[in-house]
Amino acid sequence: MSRVLVADDHPFFRLGVAAVLRMGGHEVIAMTGDGDATLETIEKVDPDIVLLDVRMPGRDGISTLQALRDRGDDRAVIILTVEMTDQQLLDAMKARVNGVVFKHYGEDRLLEAIEAVKNGLRYIDGDLYDKALGFASAASAPSPLSGL
């Protein structure tokens, strides 16, 4: 069982995720609606795993993740998203996100992601994994000095 904080700006979605987590044997210890409240609540309740919506008012999920990492917090963080831009994916990867799950795939993917990160693994949904792999394997532009 993991102690989970759910951060999403849609109350109805938060409640649905909380119900899925409880059915999966996890304890939802807090729910927040924006990044700043999430950072404050993390300090108070010390969750094992943080689920962050990529788009929230004020501080979004990516900048919340970056703020956590900047203060030396390496706890497991899973980003929940409907869609993700290339830049958001790169920023999340640079900030050492533990997982990224599309909201439309359903509860089984979320529970798989939690199990994976709980066991020290990363979990990136297939479409995003392929996109990230494409970034990593793309040949970088040759240096203008390489011909010298």
Side-chain angles (χ1 to χ4, degrees):
M1 175 175 73
S2 297
R3 299 172 65 248
V4 183
L5 182 150
V6 179
D8 192 288
D9 59 323
H10 296 98
F12 187 71
F13 184 78
R14 284 194 311 257
L15 292 172
V17 169
V20 166
L21 294 174
R22 288 182 185 112
M23 286 188 309
H26 302 284
E27 179 184 5
V28 177
I29 59 171
M31 293 189 280
T32 59
D34 65 69
D36 290 327
T38 300
L39 291 171
E40 291 174 20
T41 305
I42 287 170
E43 287 187 20
K44 293 176 186 172
V45 301
D46 193 28
D48 301 321
I49 298 173
V50 177
L51 303 181
L52 290 174
D53 182 14
V54 76
R55 290 196 176 109
M56 294 185 289
R59 188 187 299 260
D60 67 11
I62 304 295
S63 60
T64 301
L65 170 62
Q66 290 166 332
L68 275 174
R69 298 306 189 231
D70 287 348
R71 61 183 181 187
D73 191 324
D74 287 327
R75 79 184 69 235
V77 174
I78 298 172
I79 297 283
L80 302 175
T81 187
V82 171
E83 62 184 4
M84 192 172 234
T85 67
D86 293 350
Q87 190 60 54
Q88 287 172 320
L89 178 57
L90 286 173
D91 291 344
M93 300 292 276
K94 286 178 186 175
R96 300 178 322 276
V97 70
N98 301 87
V100 181
V101 177
F102 282 119
K103 291 180 177 181
H104 58 268
Y105 280 145
E107 67 274 2
D108 56 331
R109 293 273 179 100
L110 177 57
L111 294 174
E112 284 176 27
I114 289 173
E115 280 305 309
V117 302
K118 192 170 90 170
N119 291 310
L121 303 173
R122 286 207 172 167
Y123 186 99
I124 309 292
D125 266 330
D127 295 342
L128 288 173
Y129 181 81
D130 291 342
K131 188 186 282 194
L133 191 57
F135 291 143
S137 62
S140 60
S143 167
L145 301 177
S146 64
L148 297 178

